[in-house]
């Protein structure tokens, strides 16, 4: 190759390198602009997203129901396939079995939820009615308690005086002037309940269609991925999606089952102890248990106060009972059902609940843990991949006492101790050396025989 060709290739490589650097710089700038746009225009784009979501509410509900029921539908379909042997038209039979499984599971879920509502709702209504009926008695009890403590009474009198002024100003400035709007808001609230029920009904119908077409949707998604990416990247994306589905689906379905079990155990325990407001407290404890980490405490506080209004001693007993129940859930029931579905430590669970709860409210607190679990898995996979390319260990334990890695890959620790990985390498090296010493004579004899054989053949 001539000097001109070498110079031309060198210039070409420089141009390519410069182009890559410029492209990377441009991508970083665009990402920074997008980030600041999202941060400073948070209210604008979230409002638009909320508007779009409100229009697709029925579809979102249907997809969510289908996602939760899909494992059950798959299981039922497999069992039905075993009953049908050697079908003449396999495609039609498969479609019919899938449709039957989807309809049967959705109807079964509706019946189960209906039975639970029918069994629990009257008890909850009775508990709330009793609470409202006995409210004046509770007020008198609290008043007597305050009167018996002069310091507390003086403090509360001062608070009530200031609160009365604030409430009076608020009533004059806001409530009385906007009474018509509040009446309209109450009427719209009733309509909202009707709309939600209609959305759920439509969502159930949509869920059947989604369940019947699940395999088609999955196949179309894989087709798009392979059309946009090469085979290696497509495989990585699909593996990530499978793991994400495993984390998300396993956590959500497991948490719902766990909360149902806790609600039932709470109902049985309170019934055995003859506590008041059994159904209401059990519903509060079961529903709030869906929220990771903070949920048990959110449900425990109002439940305890509710029982203490009737009987202080019973309230203390209920408090201790709920604490014990949550300990059993956290150490026995929860790990058995959820296992390590998210792979997150306690700190990251708290972080994800608080962060996504701040962004999306109650929904964020419910789905924040699996969402962050997926993000954590993707980052962990990327980091391990990069470490593997650099021939560095991927175990976190190897980095706890690490000072730095030398240029030759030698691990230098803060305390001067060698890692388990290096000890294993040295042990294997020593074993190889011992083996060579023990078999040196046999090895030399084999070489001599081989050389003699080659000389004879020559």
């Amino acid at each position: 190759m001539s000097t001109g060709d070498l110079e031309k290739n060198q210039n070409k490589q420089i141009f390519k390198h410069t182009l890559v650097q410029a492209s990377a710089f441009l991508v970083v700038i665009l990402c920074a602009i997008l980030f600041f746009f999202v941060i400073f225009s948070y209210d604008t784009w979230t409002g638009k997203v909320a508007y779009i979501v409100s229009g697709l509410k029925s579809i979102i509900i249907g997809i969510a129901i289908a996602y939760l029921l899909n494992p059950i539908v798959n299981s039922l379909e497999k069992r039905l396939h075993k009953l049908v042997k050697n079908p003449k038209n396999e495609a039609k039979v498969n479609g019919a079995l899938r449709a039957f499984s989807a309809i049967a599971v959705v109807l079964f879920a509706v019946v189960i939820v209906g039975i639970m509502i029918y069994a629990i709702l009257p008890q909850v209504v009775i508990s709330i009615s009793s609470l409202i009926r006995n409210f004046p008695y509770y007020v008198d009890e609290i008043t007597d308690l305050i009167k018996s403590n002069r310091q507390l009474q003086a403090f509360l009198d001062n608070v009530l005086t200031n609160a009365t002024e604030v409430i009076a100003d608020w009533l004059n400035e806001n409530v009385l002037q906007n009474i018509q709007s509040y009446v309209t808001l109450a009427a719209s609230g009733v309509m909202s309940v009707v709309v939600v029920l209609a959305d759920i009904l439509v969502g159930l119908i949509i869920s059947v269609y989604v369940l019947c077409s699940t395999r088609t949707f999955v196949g179309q998604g894989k087709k798009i991925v392979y059309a946009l990416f090469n085979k290696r990247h497509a495989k990585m994306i699909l593996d990530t999606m499978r793991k994400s589905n495993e984390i998300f689906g396993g956590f959500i379905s497991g948490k719902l089952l766990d909360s149902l079990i806790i609600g039932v155990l709470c109902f049985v325990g309170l019934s055995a102890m003859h506590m008041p407001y059994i159904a209401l407290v059990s519903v509060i404890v079961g529903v709030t248990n869906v929220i990771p980490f903070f949920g048990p405490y959110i449900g425990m506080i109002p439940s305890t106060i509710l029982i203490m209004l009737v009987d202080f001693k019973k309230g203390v007993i209920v408090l201790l009972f709920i604490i014990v129940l949550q300990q059993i859930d956290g150490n026995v029931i929860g790990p058995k059902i959820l296992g390590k579905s998210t792979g997150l430590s306690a700190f990251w669970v708290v972080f994800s609940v608080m962060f996504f709860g701040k962004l999306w409210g109650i929904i964020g607190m419910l789905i924040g843990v699996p969402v962050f679990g997926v993000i954590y898995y993707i980052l962990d996979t990327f980091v391990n991949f990069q470490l593997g390319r650099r021939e560095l260990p991927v175990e976190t334990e190897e980095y706890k006492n690490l000072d730095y890695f030398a240029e030759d890959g030698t691990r230098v620790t803060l305390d001067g101790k060698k890692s388990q990985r290096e000890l294993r390498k040295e042990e294997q090296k020593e074993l190889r050396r011992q083996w060579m010493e023990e078999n040196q004579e046999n090895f030399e004899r084999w070489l001599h025989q081989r050389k003699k054989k080659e000389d004879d053949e020559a």
Side-chain angles (χ1 to χ4, degrees):
M1 188 179 290
S2 63
T3 306
D5 292 336
L6 287 172
E7 186 176 353
K8 187 182 293 184
N9 287 334
Q10 187 176 7
N11 292 334
K12 192 175 182 181
Q13 292 296 327
I14 293 172
F15 175 75
K16 284 183 178 180
H17 183 68
T18 306
L19 182 62
V20 170
Q21 285 184 328
S23 301
F25 184 67
L26 180 62
V27 169
V28 170
I29 292 175
L30 292 175
C31 289
I33 294 172
L34 180 62
F35 176 76
F36 282 107
F37 172 78
V38 169
I39 294 297
F40 291 108
S41 304
Y42 179 79
D43 294 334
T44 303
W45 68 265
T46 51
K48 291 180 180 180
V49 170
Y51 177 76
I52 295 171
V53 169
S54 64
L56 301 174
K57 194 176 294 182
S58 298
I59 296 176
I60 294 172
I61 292 173
I63 293 173
I65 294 172
Y67 184 76
L68 292 173
L69 298 180
N70 188 55
I72 306 174
V73 174
N74 290 339
S75 178
L76 178 60
E77 185 184 8
K78 288 180 181 178
R79 293 178 182 276
L80 293 176
H81 269 293
K82 294 179 180 179
L83 301 177
V84 180
K85 297 180 180 179
N86 300 323
K88 293 181 179 179
N89 192 328
E90 188 173 354
K92 286 187 177 180
V93 170
N94 290 340
L97 291 178
R98 183 71 184 181
F100 176 80
S101 301
I103 295 171
V105 170
V106 170
L107 289 177
F108 179 74
V110 170
V111 170
I112 293 297
V113 173
I115 291 173
M116 291 175 60
I117 293 174
Y118 179 77
I120 295 174
L121 189 60
Q123 297 294 325
V124 174
V125 171
I126 292 172
S127 298
I128 295 174
S129 301
S130 176
L131 179 64
I132 295 172
R133 188 169 58 252
N134 295 324
F135 188 75
Y137 168 76
Y138 301 146
V139 172
D140 292 338
E141 289 287 326
I142 295 172
T143 304
D144 293 338
L145 178 64
I146 294 172
K147 287 180 178 179
S148 63
N149 190 322
R150 292 183 179 180
Q151 293 180 348
L152 180 62
Q153 184 179 3
F155 172 75
L156 290 177
D157 285 341
N158 186 30
V159 171
L160 288 173
T161 301
N162 295 330
T164 302
E165 295 177 358
V166 172
I167 292 172
D169 294 339
W170 178 72
L171 288 172
N172 291 326
E173 295 176 2
N174 296 296
V175 176
L176 295 178
Q177 295 179 5
N178 300 309
I179 189 72
Q180 185 175 358
S181 62
Y182 289 133
V183 173
T184 305
L185 184 63
S188 65
V190 175
M191 289 300 299
S192 298
V193 173
V194 176
V195 170
V196 169
L197 293 175
D199 287 335
I200 293 174
L201 179 61
V202 176
L204 288 169
I205 298 171
I206 291 174
S207 68
V208 175
Y209 286 102
V210 174
L211 286 168
C212 291
S213 305
T214 300
R215 289 193 178 88
T216 302
F217 293 149
V218 171
Q220 290 172 342
K222 292 178 181 177
K223 182 179 177 181
I224 293 171
V225 170
Y226 275 103
L228 296 176
F229 303 95
N230 59 42
K231 293 178 181 178
R232 185 168 65 88
H233 290 155
K235 182 180 180 300
M236 291 173 58
I237 292 171
L238 294 178
D239 288 340
T240 303
M241 293 302 294
R242 290 189 190 97
K243 185 63 178 180
S244 302
N245 176 60
E246 180 184 333
I247 293 172
F248 209 92
F251 180 84
I252 296 297
S253 58
K255 197 63 182 174
L256 291 175
L257 178 60
D258 175 54
S259 300
L260 177 62
I261 293 172
I262 291 300
V264 172
L265 289 177
C266 184
F267 184 86
V268 172
L270 295 179
S271 300
M273 293 185 290
H274 303 287
M275 293 293 175
Y277 308 127
I278 296 171
L280 183 59
V281 171
S282 300
V283 169
I284 293 173
V285 171
V287 170
T288 56
N289 191 72
V290 177
I291 300 173
F293 193 81
F294 296 105
Y297 304 102
I298 295 172
M300 181 175 63
I301 294 171
S303 301
T304 303
I305 294 174
L306 195 62
I307 304 298
M308 282 183 174
L309 290 173
V310 179
D311 190 320
F312 185 81
K313 291 182 178 179
K314 287 186 175 181
V316 174
I317 293 172
V318 169
L319 175 64
L320 295 174
F321 171 73
I322 294 176
I323 291 174
V324 172
L325 185 63
Q326 295 300 337
Q327 291 299 314
I328 294 173
D329 177 43
N331 296 288
V332 180
I333 301 174
K336 286 287 184 183
I337 296 175
L338 297 174
K340 296 182 178 179
S341 56
T342 59
L344 298 177
S345 64
F347 169 79
W348 290 120
V349 170
V350 175
F351 171 83
S352 57
V353 171
M354 295 181 67
F355 179 77
F356 289 101
K358 184 68 176 178
L359 285 180
W360 303 328
I362 296 295
I363 300 298
M365 298 178 77
L366 294 176
I367 67 172
V369 174
V371 168
F372 190 80
V374 172
I375 297 172
Y376 186 91
Y377 167 77
I378 294 172
L379 291 175
D380 185 60
T381 303
F382 174 75
V383 169
N384 290 344
F385 174 75
Q386 293 296 331
L387 290 173
R389 290 180 59 185
R390 291 166 173 78
E391 297 182 352
L392 294 174
V394 298
E395 299 85 1
T396 306
E397 291 292 330
E398 299 288 342
Y399 294 86
K400 287 185 177 180
N401 294 320
L402 174 70
D403 189 6
Y404 61 90
F405 281 106
E407 290 294 330
D408 59 354
T410 305
R411 183 178 183 274
V412 181
T413 59
L414 296 171
D415 53 8
K417 294 181 180 179
K418 295 181 179 179
S419 67
Q420 292 295 324
R421 188 167 179 257
E422 289 175 321
L423 291 173
R424 285 196 299 269
K425 280 187 174 181
E426 290 185 0
E427 184 180 354
Q428 293 171 358
K429 187 177 180 180
E430 179 63 21
L431 289 173
R432 284 196 297 270
R433 187 188 65 78
Q434 292 177 4
W435 184 87
M436 288 295 294
E437 288 180 355
E438 293 173 358
N439 296 274
Q440 184 69 27
E441 186 178 346
N442 294 332
F443 181 67
E444 290 178 354
R445 187 184 301 114
W446 177 79
L447 282 177
H448 179 71
Q449 291 175 353
R450 182 177 177 182
K451 185 176 180 182
K452 184 178 179 183
K453 184 179 180 181
E454 289 177 351
D455 291 341
D456 292 343
E457 289 178 355

